[in-house]
Amino acid sequence: MRRLMPAIGPLEHRSMLIQGQVQGVGFRPFVYKLATQLNLAGFVCNDSQGVVIHLQGPASTIQKMTHALVTNRPPLAVFHHVEHKKLPVDLEMTSFYIAPSQAQGQPSAVTVDVAVCPDCLTEMRQDADQRHRYGLINCTNCGPRYTITHAVPYDRPSTTMAGFEMCPACQSQYDDPADRRFHAQPIACAACGPVVQCVDPQGAVLTGDPYQQAAALLLAGKVLAIKGLGGFHLAVCAHDAAGVERLRTRKQRDGKPFALMCCDLATAESLVQLTKEAKRELLSPPSPIVLARAKSEVVLPAGIARGMQRLGVMLPYTPMQHLLFDALGNVQGKLPGGGRLSGVGVLVMTSANVSDEPLVIDNDEALTRLSGICDGLLWHDRPIVRCVDDSVLLAMKDHLLPVRRSRGYAPGSVKMPVAAAKPGLCVGGELKNTVALVREDQVILSQHLGDLTHVLAYEHFCKAITDLCDLYEVKPQWIACDQHPVYLSTQYAKTLAKQWGVPLLKVQHHHAHAAAVLAEHGCTSSALAMICDGVGYGEDGQSWGGELLMANMAEFHRLAHLRPLDLPGGDAAAKDIRRSGLAFLHQAFGDDFLSHPAAQQLIPQDDERAMLGHMIQRKMNCATSTAVGRLFDAAAALIGICDHNQFEGHAPMLLESQADQWTEPLTNQPLFRIHQRVLDMSPLVKHLLSDTSPACRAALFHDQLAWGLSQLIIDESQRMQLGVVALSGGVFCNERLVTRMSNQLTHAGLKVLLHQKIPANDGGLAYGQAAVAAARLEANTCV
């Protein structure tokens, strides 16, 4: 507590409640230093709602203080709401101090996990520093937050650091308002904190320096599990082709690309083309994976991203990762299988799990679930409360598009232009699931939860809902879910609604996509929304996925759509894309399609081809689908790029990669037709079957589809007199399609809205459901 000089002039006493990301970001010491510099009396403390500040002094000085709180706040601090009150002057208040935290009120925000800061890295590499080579170094500006938090207020007893008693040196820094680690809850050092070890698959500690031991395993071609902020990764040396294939086999990850962790930005730039914005994000506190175009001269094992023109790169974001690269950077020797090695600056870094399961977060769990996958583990004994996967951004030429919003962003809230009258829960979709809590105009989005058709992922989804509700002390008064009757998220929402005795609001899949991008841009009036994805339950009970809507956040009307395909076997076509190819052939050539050579190339077996053809002709066990995603599958199959999706979006990604290789002009004649507000792409089919290169045909498909969709939008914008169009759905994670459509629509005078904070894919559904529910609550049309 610091005694202050007597104030000059009449005193005022004001209180402030600041809600948002203000705990665990060095905000209280910042307030303390500022108040003492300005000679103000009062106190600052955490409570469950945020940070409470009492200020007493001259009115002009308090005004200067409140202005500085906003303009000079710590880099990680985010304000959602600031409440001011004028109080009676307290003559006993003669100094400024930091008061103990108060557990009262509903939590407003939980701080996200952030990458290690430059100051900590500098200290970690200084021989004389207390935390020299300590792999869990952190301060108020960096390190774990969400993944170690049990409850709010964010104080050490409410985190997984509660079991580690501070040594005198750490305690002194923790208690010193002038220190960068003042009230840094995860503060620790080698003398008192969690321990880093390198162990074998049975958990036996390998003697010697853990980073050198881990580096030796990697250099021997082994698969290493590494514990991070939100769970374990699996790593191999990126230039070790055999190691990459070994990891792919053990992880049961057939074709999905692996991410790469580069030791620094220069190394990342040597692999991929990075825009200024992409570089900024790689170096930012969230430190996401950035999907960027690979440079043509880069030579990496094909197994990292087979058939893809993009690589996912990220930088080290934990001290342990930096120390591992330090160890790898000092080696000289031979790579497994031959070749000279002078340091290792790139590692394959993928989530530690069997494909599509949740991340492993617990050490004992790692020994069980990663048995047979990894050859050693680099871990620490600081517990992780919840698994949080890496975030992913797609780097386009003029835009960064969120693909997966998780570590570094979750559970940060995103504002809506409307406020919900009651708190609620949104459970998202079935693939790329996220869930959300809604409080007034704030949507608290969970981390990426994955594909709910996997048992462990579904269990993780159920736990995440309980976890968010408990952490934020929210009792939802309504639940929003997708309209699809068999989605596991919808089924669970029904169970919860009955159990809690609250109303259930069903939101049409594509309306949620539209509402998400409209809400993100603060658009409350009606606009056009082109929603393109792989599947969504339509109002008519059919599978939608190529829909032009007129929508606002409360309601929508379907204006136009893609000509539907009859997909034999329904959902089976999402995996076996030859079925989509056959359906596209049927659109183009009618009932004679089976006699076309392309049908025989697609399905060489006569009996299988005849069976599928009969199903299409008779519409037996066929799903009628307007999904643009299935059209991409069809084109990939007809061009001969692949015949099965090994993961969601596999064929479309390969198709885009092929298209990117074509730089020559293409026809300026439309190879589509629009009739009665239905876009028919079947005239394009015979051109996809030509003898030109696959790259040429893939580029032609993209450009004609972009032209057809844009023309559909332009026609309806003129008919409906609407000048704004939103683009959403997983198909718009395709740069070529987005760029061409945006250019054509802008040239036609339309304002184009793209996602900036929320994924365009189903990871954004929960936010869209929140916007729809809030708007309908405001209009009293539901709940």
Side-chain angles (χ1 to χ4, degrees):
M1 184 183 296
R2 179 175 170 182
R3 184 70 58 178
L4 302 177
M5 296 294 290
I8 300 173
L11 296 178
E12 277 195 6
H13 179 192
R14 292 186 177 273
S15 72
M16 299 174 66
L17 170 62
I18 302 178
Q19 297 177 313
Q21 184 172 286
V22 288
Q23 296 188 16
V25 296
F27 191 66
R28 286 177 298 170
F30 161 72
V31 173
Y32 174 86
K33 292 174 187 176
L34 191 58
T36 53
Q37 287 170 6
L38 293 173
N39 211 36
L40 290 168
F43 65 87
V44 59
C45 72
N46 282 343
D47 76 0
S48 296
Q49 298 181 73
V51 169
V52 175
I53 305 171
H54 280 247
L55 300 171
Q56 186 163 285
S60 60
T61 308
I62 291 177
Q63 185 176 4
K64 186 184 295 185
M65 170 85 174
T66 55
H67 178 73
L69 288 175
V70 175
T71 57
N72 299 330
R73 63 181 182 263
L76 297 180
V78 179
F79 293 0
H80 294 155
H81 177 72
V82 180
E83 182 181 307
H84 296 264
K85 285 183 181 178
K86 188 173 183 179
L87 301 171
V89 172
D90 182 356
L91 295 178
E92 299 294 320
M93 190 180 288
T94 58
S95 60
F96 197 90
Y97 61 98
I98 297 176
S101 297
Q102 303 170 10
Q104 61 183 35
Q106 197 176 53
S108 64
V110 176
T111 302
V112 301
D113 303 292
V114 291
V116 60
C117 69
D119 289 337
C120 282
L121 286 177
T122 299
E123 292 174 349
M124 185 182 75
R125 291 183 171 125
Q126 290 177 342
D127 292 347
D129 193 87
Q130 173 190 350
R131 297 177 180 85
H132 174 57
R133 299 191 77 245
Y134 182 55
L136 297 165
I137 188 171
N138 64 84
C139 68
T140 54
N141 297 321
C142 70
R145 298 293 190 274
Y146 177 49
T147 52
I148 64 169
T149 300
H150 288 298
V152 178
Y154 175 70
D155 290 312
R156 194 175 180 99
S158 299
T159 72
T160 61
M161 289 298 294
F164 297 93
E165 184 177 351
M166 284 179 271
C167 67
C170 286
Q171 187 71 56
S172 175
Q173 294 167 345
Y174 183 88
D175 293 335
D176 182 2
D179 196 280
R180 197 175 83 252
R181 293 187 173 85
F182 177 66
H183 281 217
Q185 307 306 337
I187 185 173
C189 69
C192 64
V195 176
V196 177
Q197 297 172 322
C198 187
V199 303
D200 69 16
Q202 288 73 46
V205 178
L206 302 178
T207 57
D209 180 86
Y211 305 103
Q212 294 293 344
Q213 291 290 347
L217 287 171
L218 289 169
L219 296 173
K222 305 298 184 181
V223 176
L224 179 71
I226 307 170
K227 193 174 184 180
L229 284 177
F232 281 82
H233 287 100
L234 293 170
V236 294
C237 291
H239 289 86
D240 179 3
V244 171
E245 292 304 327
R246 189 178 304 114
L247 174 58
R248 190 170 289 286
T249 300
R250 293 181 185 180
K251 188 175 159 65
Q252 301 174 30
R253 187 175 175 128
D254 292 339
K256 199 171 186 180
F258 285 136
L260 299 174
M261 181 172 281
C262 304
C263 62
D264 54 30
L265 184 61
T267 302
E269 285 188 277
S270 72
L271 298 179
V272 294
Q273 302 168 22
L274 293 173
T275 62
K276 181 179 178 181
E277 292 75 16
K279 293 177 192 177
R280 184 187 67 238
E281 289 302 317
L282 281 171
L283 295 168
S284 70
S287 193
I289 296 170
V290 172
L291 297 171
R293 294 185 184 280
K295 291 186 174 179
S296 57
E297 64 271 21
V298 170
V299 179
L300 286 169
I304 289 175
R306 189 168 277 108
M308 304 296 175
Q309 294 294 304
R310 291 182 181 272
L311 294 171
V313 296
M314 59 177 159
L315 301 181
Y317 56 84
T318 72
M320 285 174 59
Q321 292 164 357
H322 281 277
L323 288 169
L324 178 59
F325 274 112
D326 287 352
L328 288 167
N330 294 325
V331 298
Q332 300 289 330
K334 293 183 179 181
L335 280 168
R340 293 297 302 170
L341 178 70
S342 179
V344 174
V346 187
L347 295 174
V348 167
M349 194 73 77
T350 186
S351 53
N353 54 8
V354 175
S355 189
D356 293 319
E357 289 182 354
L359 278 175
V360 174
I361 62 173
D362 178 76
N363 291 1
D364 290 338
E365 179 190 21
L367 296 178
T368 302
R369 283 181 58 193
L370 301 182
S371 175
I373 299 178
C374 70
D375 301 300
L377 303 94
L378 181 64
W379 68 18
H380 56 77
D381 58 346
R382 181 180 66 206
I384 298 173
V385 175
R386 55 190 65 83
C387 65
V388 180
D389 216 330
D390 295 316
S391 295
V392 182
L393 298 178
L394 175 63
M396 300 184 181
K397 183 179 180 181
D398 302 312
H399 185 62
L400 283 173
L401 179 72
V403 175
R404 184 168 72 201
R405 186 181 182 276
S406 204
R407 178 187 49 77
Y409 302 97
S413 63
V414 182
K415 195 172 183 179
M416 298 185 295
V418 292
K422 304 173 186 176
L425 167 70
C426 303
V427 299
E430 186 153 278
L431 302 178
K432 296 180 172 62
N433 180 268
T434 59
V435 299
L437 292 180
V438 183
R439 291 194 313 204
E440 299 180 348
D441 63 350
Q442 297 293 324
V443 182
I444 302 160
L445 284 164
S446 78
Q447 66 273 28
H448 169 78
L449 301 175
D451 179 356
L452 302 190
T453 60
H454 291 263
V455 174
L456 290 178
Y458 178 72
E459 291 175 354
H460 182 39
F461 156 80
C462 298
K463 290 177 183 176
I465 290 174
T466 301
D467 180 39
L468 271 185
C469 291
D470 289 347
L471 191 59
Y472 284 86
E473 298 179 10
V474 169
K475 294 183 178 180
Q477 301 301 301
W478 51 267
I479 301 175
C481 66
D482 195 274
Q483 251 183 358
H484 201 300
V486 300
Y487 272 5
L488 291 172
S489 58
T490 300
Q491 295 295 325
Y492 191 63
K494 289 179 181 177
T495 300
L496 286 182
K498 185 176 181 180
Q499 182 179 330
W500 294 348
V502 300
L504 181 67
L505 168 65
K506 295 181 180 180
V507 180
Q508 199 279 328
H509 189 91
H510 301 97
H511 185 204
H513 274 304
V517 69
L518 292 175
E520 197 178 335
H521 286 269
C523 180
T524 56
S525 56
S526 291
L528 295 174
M530 187 75 233
I531 314 300
C532 297
D533 60 7
V535 65
Y537 192 76
E539 294 274 278
D540 57 2
Q542 302 296 323
S543 177
W544 290 7
E547 316 307 314
L548 180 58
L549 311 178
M550 180 177 70
N552 55 39
M553 283 178 286
E555 56 189 1
F556 77 98
H557 176 66
R558 188 190 197 195
L559 298 177
H561 56 83
L562 190 71
R563 182 183 173 188
L565 290 170
D566 293 320
L567 301 176
D571 289 345
K575 291 279 188 183
D576 182 358
I577 67 171
R578 303 173 305 164
R579 298 172 184 239
S580 296
L582 275 182
F584 205 14
L585 281 177
H586 181 249
Q587 271 195 358
F589 301 117
D591 284 344
D592 292 335
F593 75 109
L594 287 178
S595 62
H596 196 285
Q600 298 172 19
Q601 291 173 358
L602 279 175
I603 316 286
Q605 295 81 9
D606 293 341
D607 54 350
E608 183 182 7
R609 185 173 64 254
M611 177 191 70
L612 293 173
H614 183 72
M615 291 167 65
I616 293 172
Q617 289 169 331
R618 300 296 180 90
K619 294 193 175 184
M620 294 171 53
N621 193 26
C622 281
T624 300
S625 172
T626 58
V628 175
R630 298 291 77 80
L631 202 67
F632 268 87
D633 289 346
L638 291 175
I639 294 170
I641 291 172
C642 69
D643 54 17
H644 283 78
N645 272 323
Q646 295 182 4
F647 57 90
E648 188 193 12
H650 182 207
M653 289 168 66
L654 291 173
L655 193 67
E656 183 186 10
S657 292
Q658 280 288 330
D660 286 344
Q661 298 175 42
W662 186 258
T663 58
E664 299 299 319
L666 295 165
T667 179
N668 59 2
Q669 297 298 314
L671 303 176
F672 59 86
R673 51 179 171 255
I674 298 173
H675 179 64
Q676 294 184 346
R677 298 193 286 280
V678 175
L679 173 62
D680 181 4
M681 297 301 302
S682 64
L684 178 61
V685 170
K686 66 178 181 180
H687 299 272
L688 300 181
L689 301 175
S690 69
D691 57 2
T692 57
S693 72
C696 175
R697 287 177 281 162
L700 181 67
F701 171 80
H702 277 82
D703 293 3
Q704 288 290 323
L705 179 62
W707 188 358
L709 291 172
S710 297
Q711 191 60 56
L712 192 69
I713 293 166
I714 292 166
D715 291 350
E716 290 306 296
S717 72
Q718 294 170 352
R719 186 172 74 89
M720 304 304 299
Q721 294 296 293
L722 292 171
V724 176
V725 59
L727 305 182
S728 188
V731 168
F732 289 116
C733 293
N734 181 307
E735 182 178 9
R736 188 181 186 100
L737 188 70
V738 168
T739 301
R740 279 156 175 73
M741 287 184 64
S742 296
N743 290 342
Q744 292 172 39
L745 294 169
T746 302
H747 187 262
L750 288 165
K751 182 180 180 180
V752 180
L753 304 181
L754 300 173
H755 285 283
Q756 296 174 333
K757 298 178 181 178
I758 305 298
N761 56 41
D762 284 5
L765 283 178
Y767 178 72
Q769 291 168 356
V772 172
R776 290 183 181 173
L777 278 168
E778 185 178 58
N780 294 316
T781 57
C782 72
V783 192

